[in-house]
Amino acid sequence: MGDDERALALDPNYADSYRVLTNVLTFVGRPQEAIEMAEKALRLDPRGPNVAMGLFQLGLAYQSTGRLEEAIATHKQALMH
């Protein structure tokens, strides 16, 4: 179990752990799982200080799966935060 997974086990409602895991999953080639983690982080903390970064990461995960229109829309949302 990695540190991020351990953090989630200790506090499953800590959105920043999901954001970190989103980043890791995207860059190791598991973008579909990254999307799930990013969406969960946004549900847990829709207005926190790290929402823009979470949206950016979600956009990268969308881009990695070829969902380019969703990636563009999500990156635009990130810029507005």
Side-chain angles (χ1 to χ4, degrees):
M1 181 182 288
D3 288 342
D4 296 323
E5 292 165 327
R6 224 178 341 265
L8 291 175
L10 292 171
D11 188 355
N13 294 314
Y14 186 55
D16 285 342
S17 292
Y18 289 96
R19 288 187 189 101
V20 170
L21 192 53
T22 296
N23 203 31
V24 171
L25 289 168
T26 299
F27 287 106
V28 298
R30 295 166 50 189
Q32 189 56 49
E33 292 172 76
I35 290 168
E36 294 169 19
M37 295 298 110
E39 290 172 346
K40 180 140 187 162
L42 289 168
R43 282 193 305 274
L44 289 170
D45 188 15
R47 293 185 177 81
N50 296 320
V51 169
M53 179 55 70
L55 288 166
F56 178 75
Q57 292 168 332
L58 177 57
L60 288 177
Y62 281 142
Q63 183 178 344
S64 295
T65 61
R67 295 163 64 176
L68 301 181
E69 290 191 22
E70 289 169 286
I72 291 168
T74 304
H75 282 135
K76 285 180 180 179
Q77 272 185 286
L79 291 171
M80 297 182 77
H81 274 77

